Amino acid sequence: MEDTKILEAIERYIDGSMTPEELLYFDNLRKSNADIDQLVVEHTYFLQQISRFDKTRQFKSVLAAAHSDLVEQGVIQIARPAKKSKIVSLFNRHKRTAALAASIAGITALAISVLISSVTPTNQKNDIALLNGEIKAIKNQNQQQNREINSIKKNINVSGVPIVYKTGGTSFLIDVKGYLVTNAHVIRNARNIAVQNSKEKELQVQIVYIDDKRDLAILKITDTAFKAPASIPYSIKKTSAEIAEPIYTLGFPRNEIVYGEGYLAARTGFNGDTLTCQIAIAANPGNSGGPILNRNGEVVGILSAKQISAEGVVFATQSRYIHQALAALQIDTAYARVKLPATSSVKGLDKTQQVKKISDFVYMVKIN
């Protein structure tokens, strides 16, 4: 197989655009060819770092916006610096731009290095060592930015006035330590985020991962009032559901959990989008981020969007992307112990009993 075709196949394999037959063939190829398997691992690593670099820029933007808000509110007072020479002032004015340009140059150099190593297997150990060093630096930078952002968020509501939330959507637990998944669009542009459990108890959360392309976000409950459950009753399926397979969802289109049922209508989404699938189910905006489950109590998708131009056409992000999102998150060793539920304890129960057991693990997302 030519080098360009290998890279093209690896790209399609990673982003999930292969057909089931191609996927089966490529999985067998990875098992039989160690070089191909290594290329997949390295290229996945590379794409994840490019994604994390983009998130770094987003973090900087959020940090700058939050800082500006605090300055405007008078919470932070900025002392005027002493008059400096024009050269010093000019340097300080543009040093962020220069730093960002240097970061982009570094990422570009890293990208070229990885691509060269993928088609030229020589000196791979040196390239991998260099990549690991860059990854470690990015991790440290992201961790520092996370600390700064969280610190600023804590100071935003300094007036003592209770935060007034509005319903944003739905989320559900994917780890007993308080990790939830929802849609990225549910929390986009939110200044404050909380979740509400089935007992109408509000709990504070923070964002730990966002993937706008797949409309996925992972939240972490940080509230001390959260009591971790012993286990999660449903599992997260790695493969797609079958067409006409019965499914149901739980969500919060209003201030109580609502059940809806239907079936998988198509394995692809709008205009053949392979990231999503089409489902025949009644849904409202507050359902976004809710779990789509099959009769075995397995999550097969996340309710994502309703097509405005066609009444009743609803799409869901496929559940396998939750596994991919967690793999990307776990590049940061702080999340190495996050584990998705692998088995469904409600399999074999009737629908009423399943819903009763699962409802406590589905949360309303509230934003302002």
Side-chain angles (χ1 to χ4, degrees), residues 14-15 28 34 39 47 63 77 90 134 139 146 149 174 187 189 207-208 217 225 232 236 246 273 296 299 306:
I14 293 171
D15 66 22
N28 290 332
L39 285 176
L47 292 177
L63 186 61
Q77 301 294 329
L90 187 63
E134 295 287 348
K139 285 182 183 177
N146 277 331
I149 291 171
I174 57 171
I187 59 172
N189 301 324
I207 304 168
V208 297
I232 294 175
I236 313 296
D273 173 24
N296 293 325
V299 174
K306 182 176 182 180

mmCIF file of all heavy atoms in Angstrom, residues 14-15 28 34 39 47 63 77 90 134 139 146 149 174 187 189 207-208 217 225 232 236 246 273 296 299 306:
data_model
loop_
_atom_site.group_PDB
_atom_site.id
_atom_site.type_symbol
_atom_site.label_atom_id
_atom_site.label_comp_id
_atom_site.label_asym_id
_atom_site.label_seq_id
_atom_site.Cartn_x
_atom_site.Cartn_y
_atom_site.Cartn_z
ATOM 1 N N ILE A 14 -9.479 6.447 11.941
ATOM 2 C CA ILE A 14 -9.536 7.188 13.199
ATOM 3 C C ILE A 14 -10.835 7.973 13.323
ATOM 4 O O ILE A 14 -11.448 8.018 14.396
ATOM 5 C CB ILE A 14 -8.320 8.131 13.326
ATOM 6 C CG1 ILE A 14 -7.014 7.296 13.467
ATOM 7 C CG2 ILE A 14 -8.468 9.075 14.521
ATOM 8 C CD1 ILE A 14 -5.751 8.120 13.392
ATOM 9 N N ASP A 15 -11.265 8.620 12.198
ATOM 10 C CA ASP A 15 -12.466 9.448 12.306
ATOM 11 C C ASP A 15 -13.766 8.667 12.142
ATOM 12 O O ASP A 15 -14.860 9.218 12.163
ATOM 13 C CB ASP A 15 -12.429 10.621 11.313
ATOM 14 C CG ASP A 15 -12.497 10.182 9.842
ATOM 15 O OD1 ASP A 15 -12.971 9.061 9.562
ATOM 16 O OD2 ASP A 15 -12.069 10.964 8.980
ATOM 17 N N ASN A 28 -7.986 -6.294 10.947
ATOM 18 C CA ASN A 28 -7.170 -7.490 10.692
ATOM 19 C C ASN A 28 -5.787 -7.108 10.218
ATOM 20 O O ASN A 28 -4.793 -7.758 10.568
ATOM 21 C CB ASN A 28 -7.868 -8.384 9.658
ATOM 22 C CG ASN A 28 -9.123 -9.039 10.212
ATOM 23 O OD1 ASN A 28 -9.226 -9.267 11.413
ATOM 24 N ND2 ASN A 28 -10.100 -9.328 9.348
ATOM 25 N N ALA A 34 2.604 -5.096 12.240
ATOM 26 C CA ALA A 34 2.993 -4.270 13.383
ATOM 27 C C ALA A 34 3.311 -2.843 12.966
ATOM 28 O O ALA A 34 3.067 -1.888 13.720
ATOM 29 C CB ALA A 34 4.203 -4.882 14.099
ATOM 30 N N LEU A 39 1.812 2.932 13.136
ATOM 31 C CA LEU A 39 1.451 4.174 12.455
ATOM 32 C C LEU A 39 0.101 4.698 12.948
ATOM 33 O O LEU A 39 -0.083 5.900 13.122
ATOM 34 C CB LEU A 39 1.391 3.951 10.936
ATOM 35 C CG LEU A 39 2.741 3.828 10.208
ATOM 36 C CD1 LEU A 39 2.513 3.512 8.742
ATOM 37 C CD2 LEU A 39 3.539 5.120 10.343
ATOM 38 N N LEU A 47 -2.968 13.575 16.149
ATOM 39 C CA LEU A 47 -4.244 14.282 15.969
ATOM 40 C C LEU A 47 -4.798 14.759 17.308
ATOM 41 O O LEU A 47 -5.393 15.834 17.407
ATOM 42 C CB LEU A 47 -5.251 13.367 15.271
ATOM 43 C CG LEU A 47 -4.948 13.018 13.806
ATOM 44 C CD1 LEU A 47 -5.993 12.047 13.266
ATOM 45 C CD2 LEU A 47 -4.907 14.273 12.937
ATOM 46 N N LEU A 63 -10.187 32.537 29.411
ATOM 47 C CA LEU A 63 -9.482 33.202 30.498
ATOM 48 C C LEU A 63 -9.469 34.708 30.291
ATOM 49 O O LEU A 63 -9.748 35.484 31.214
ATOM 50 C CB LEU A 63 -8.055 32.657 30.579
ATOM 51 C CG LEU A 63 -7.192 33.128 31.754
ATOM 52 C CD1 LEU A 63 -7.820 32.713 33.068
ATOM 53 C CD2 LEU A 63 -5.789 32.570 31.632
ATOM 54 N N GLN A 77 -8.781 45.164 40.224
ATOM 55 C CA GLN A 77 -8.233 46.488 39.937
ATOM 56 C C GLN A 77 -6.863 46.334 39.292
ATOM 57 O O GLN A 77 -6.005 45.622 39.802
ATOM 58 C CB GLN A 77 -8.099 47.305 41.237
ATOM 59 C CG GLN A 77 -9.428 47.508 41.968
ATOM 60 C CD GLN A 77 -10.390 48.366 41.173
ATOM 61 O OE1 GLN A 77 -9.971 49.244 40.421
ATOM 62 N NE2 GLN A 77 -11.683 48.108 41.345
ATOM 63 N N LEU A 90 6.092 48.678 23.242
ATOM 64 C CA LEU A 90 5.773 47.954 22.009
ATOM 65 C C LEU A 90 5.971 46.458 22.193
ATOM 66 O O LEU A 90 5.155 45.649 21.731
ATOM 67 C CB LEU A 90 6.657 48.470 20.865
ATOM 68 C CG LEU A 90 6.349 47.950 19.463
ATOM 69 C CD1 LEU A 90 4.949 48.382 19.055
ATOM 70 C CD2 LEU A 90 7.361 48.447 18.456
ATOM 71 N N GLU A 134 7.073 17.233 23.848
ATOM 72 C CA GLU A 134 6.105 18.263 23.489
ATOM 73 C C GLU A 134 4.762 18.015 24.189
ATOM 74 O O GLU A 134 4.091 18.943 24.650
ATOM 75 C CB GLU A 134 5.906 18.298 21.965
ATOM 76 C CG GLU A 134 7.131 18.723 21.174
ATOM 77 C CD GLU A 134 7.413 20.209 21.311
ATOM 78 O OE1 GLU A 134 6.530 20.926 21.818
ATOM 79 O OE2 GLU A 134 8.506 20.641 20.921
ATOM 80 N N LYS A 139 0.604 19.318 28.274
ATOM 81 C CA LYS A 139 -0.163 18.906 29.454
ATOM 82 C C LYS A 139 0.020 19.893 30.602
ATOM 83 O O LYS A 139 -0.946 20.325 31.235
ATOM 84 C CB LYS A 139 0.295 17.520 29.917
ATOM 85 C CG LYS A 139 -0.188 16.362 29.071
ATOM 86 C CD LYS A 139 0.318 15.075 29.696
ATOM 87 C CE LYS A 139 -0.063 13.867 28.851
ATOM 88 N NZ LYS A 139 0.476 12.627 29.424
ATOM 89 N N ASN A 146 -6.129 25.463 33.296
ATOM 90 C CA ASN A 146 -7.332 24.980 33.974
ATOM 91 C C ASN A 146 -7.441 25.541 35.380
ATOM 92 O O ASN A 146 -8.511 25.942 35.831
ATOM 93 C CB ASN A 146 -7.336 23.452 34.028
ATOM 94 C CG ASN A 146 -7.851 22.829 32.750
ATOM 95 O OD1 ASN A 146 -8.665 23.421 32.067
ATOM 96 N ND2 ASN A 146 -7.372 21.651 32.424
ATOM 97 N N ILE A 149 -8.382 29.262 35.099
ATOM 98 C CA ILE A 149 -9.778 29.438 34.691
ATOM 99 C C ILE A 149 -10.726 29.116 35.839
ATOM 100 O O ILE A 149 -11.681 29.846 36.115
ATOM 101 C CB ILE A 149 -10.095 28.558 33.468
ATOM 102 C CG1 ILE A 149 -9.344 29.111 32.247
ATOM 103 C CG2 ILE A 149 -11.589 28.517 33.183
ATOM 104 C CD1 ILE A 149 -9.403 28.196 31.048
ATOM 105 N N ILE A 174 -21.090 8.738 33.414
ATOM 106 C CA ILE A 174 -20.307 7.717 32.712
ATOM 107 C C ILE A 174 -19.222 7.141 33.617
ATOM 108 O O ILE A 174 -18.506 6.234 33.217
ATOM 109 C CB ILE A 174 -19.681 8.271 31.416
ATOM 110 C CG1 ILE A 174 -18.795 9.487 31.712
ATOM 111 C CG2 ILE A 174 -20.777 8.627 30.403
ATOM 112 C CD1 ILE A 174 -17.988 9.960 30.521
ATOM 113 N N ILE A 187 -23.681 23.455 26.613
ATOM 114 C CA ILE A 187 -22.933 24.292 27.562
ATOM 115 C C ILE A 187 -22.169 25.417 26.878
ATOM 116 O O ILE A 187 -21.478 26.184 27.538
ATOM 117 C CB ILE A 187 -21.951 23.431 28.380
ATOM 118 C CG1 ILE A 187 -20.962 22.719 27.449
ATOM 119 C CG2 ILE A 187 -22.705 22.435 29.235
ATOM 120 C CD1 ILE A 187 -19.845 22.013 28.173
ATOM 121 N N ASN A 189 -21.018 28.799 25.551
ATOM 122 C CA ASN A 189 -21.241 30.195 25.976
ATOM 123 C C ASN A 189 -21.831 30.323 27.379
ATOM 124 O O ASN A 189 -22.227 31.419 27.788
ATOM 125 C CB ASN A 189 -22.152 30.925 24.977
ATOM 126 C CG ASN A 189 -21.574 30.958 23.574
ATOM 127 O OD1 ASN A 189 -20.366 31.075 23.405
ATOM 128 N ND2 ASN A 189 -22.431 30.842 22.568
ATOM 129 N N ILE A 207 -16.123 21.866 33.410
ATOM 130 C CA ILE A 207 -15.889 21.238 32.105
ATOM 131 C C ILE A 207 -14.475 20.650 32.092
ATOM 132 O O ILE A 207 -13.512 21.328 32.450
ATOM 133 C CB ILE A 207 -16.012 22.265 30.972
ATOM 134 C CG1 ILE A 207 -17.382 22.951 31.014
ATOM 135 C CG2 ILE A 207 -15.791 21.613 29.612
ATOM 136 C CD1 ILE A 207 -17.477 24.174 30.113
ATOM 137 N N VAL A 208 -14.352 19.397 31.674
ATOM 138 C CA VAL A 208 -13.021 18.791 31.571
ATOM 139 C C VAL A 208 -12.673 18.405 30.133
ATOM 140 O O VAL A 208 -11.512 18.134 29.827
ATOM 141 C CB VAL A 208 -12.889 17.546 32.492
ATOM 142 C CG1 VAL A 208 -13.031 17.947 33.950
ATOM 143 C CG2 VAL A 208 -13.914 16.468 32.131
ATOM 144 N N ALA A 217 -19.317 16.750 25.244
ATOM 145 C CA ALA A 217 -18.616 17.403 26.351
ATOM 146 C C ALA A 217 -18.651 16.483 27.561
ATOM 147 O O ALA A 217 -19.630 15.776 27.782
ATOM 148 C CB ALA A 217 -19.259 18.752 26.687
ATOM 149 N N ALA A 225 -21.454 17.869 47.961
ATOM 150 C CA ALA A 225 -22.706 17.190 48.300
ATOM 151 C C ALA A 225 -22.939 15.943 47.445
ATOM 152 O O ALA A 225 -23.839 15.149 47.746
ATOM 153 C CB ALA A 225 -23.885 18.156 48.123
ATOM 154 N N ILE A 232 -22.823 1.981 38.002
ATOM 155 C CA ILE A 232 -23.760 2.566 37.042
ATOM 156 C C ILE A 232 -24.508 1.417 36.368
ATOM 157 O O ILE A 232 -23.887 0.449 35.927
ATOM 158 C CB ILE A 232 -23.004 3.421 36.009
ATOM 159 C CG1 ILE A 232 -22.382 4.636 36.716
ATOM 160 C CG2 ILE A 232 -23.922 3.879 34.882
ATOM 161 C CD1 ILE A 232 -21.497 5.490 35.831
ATOM 162 N N ILE A 236 -21.922 1.474 28.074
ATOM 163 C CA ILE A 236 -21.756 2.330 26.896
ATOM 164 C C ILE A 236 -21.299 1.443 25.739
ATOM 165 O O ILE A 236 -20.189 0.907 25.757
ATOM 166 C CB ILE A 236 -20.716 3.440 27.136
ATOM 167 C CG1 ILE A 236 -20.950 4.146 28.471
ATOM 168 C CG2 ILE A 236 -20.726 4.428 25.968
ATOM 169 C CD1 ILE A 236 -22.248 4.901 28.574
ATOM 170 N N PRO A 246 -35.458 -1.171 18.649
ATOM 171 C CA PRO A 246 -36.201 -0.329 19.590
ATOM 172 C C PRO A 246 -35.247 0.397 20.543
ATOM 173 O O PRO A 246 -34.284 -0.195 21.046
ATOM 174 C CB PRO A 246 -37.075 -1.321 20.357
ATOM 175 C CG PRO A 246 -37.141 -2.537 19.484
ATOM 176 C CD PRO A 246 -35.824 -2.607 18.788
ATOM 177 N N ASP A 273 -24.119 12.191 7.321
ATOM 178 C CA ASP A 273 -23.081 12.403 8.339
ATOM 179 C C ASP A 273 -22.863 11.111 9.131
ATOM 180 O O ASP A 273 -23.784 10.586 9.757
ATOM 181 C CB ASP A 273 -23.523 13.531 9.272
ATOM 182 C CG ASP A 273 -22.591 13.716 10.454
ATOM 183 O OD1 ASP A 273 -21.416 13.336 10.344
ATOM 184 O OD2 ASP A 273 -23.040 14.248 11.481
ATOM 185 N N ASN A 296 -31.556 -3.670 26.136
ATOM 186 C CA ASN A 296 -30.638 -4.325 27.077
ATOM 187 C C ASN A 296 -30.047 -3.348 28.090
ATOM 188 O O ASN A 296 -29.198 -3.726 28.891
ATOM 189 C CB ASN A 296 -29.500 -5.008 26.316
ATOM 190 C CG ASN A 296 -29.983 -6.181 25.493
ATOM 191 O OD1 ASN A 296 -30.902 -6.907 25.894
ATOM 192 N ND2 ASN A 296 -29.385 -6.378 24.327
ATOM 193 N N VAL A 299 -26.264 2.101 26.423
ATOM 194 C CA VAL A 299 -26.310 3.404 25.766
ATOM 195 C C VAL A 299 -25.745 3.249 24.354
ATOM 196 O O VAL A 299 -24.606 2.833 24.169
ATOM 197 C CB VAL A 299 -25.496 4.451 26.542
ATOM 198 C CG1 VAL A 299 -25.437 5.775 25.767
ATOM 199 C CG2 VAL A 299 -26.095 4.685 27.919
ATOM 200 N N LYS A 306 -32.278 18.311 16.667
ATOM 201 C CA LYS A 306 -33.526 18.130 15.929
ATOM 202 C C LYS A 306 -33.471 18.987 14.678
ATOM 203 O O LYS A 306 -33.165 20.176 14.753
ATOM 204 C CB LYS A 306 -34.718 18.539 16.795
ATOM 205 C CG LYS A 306 -36.077 18.335 16.137
ATOM 206 C CD LYS A 306 -37.193 18.676 17.112
ATOM 207 C CE LYS A 306 -38.550 18.428 16.484
ATOM 208 N NZ LYS A 306 -39.657 18.740 17.407
#
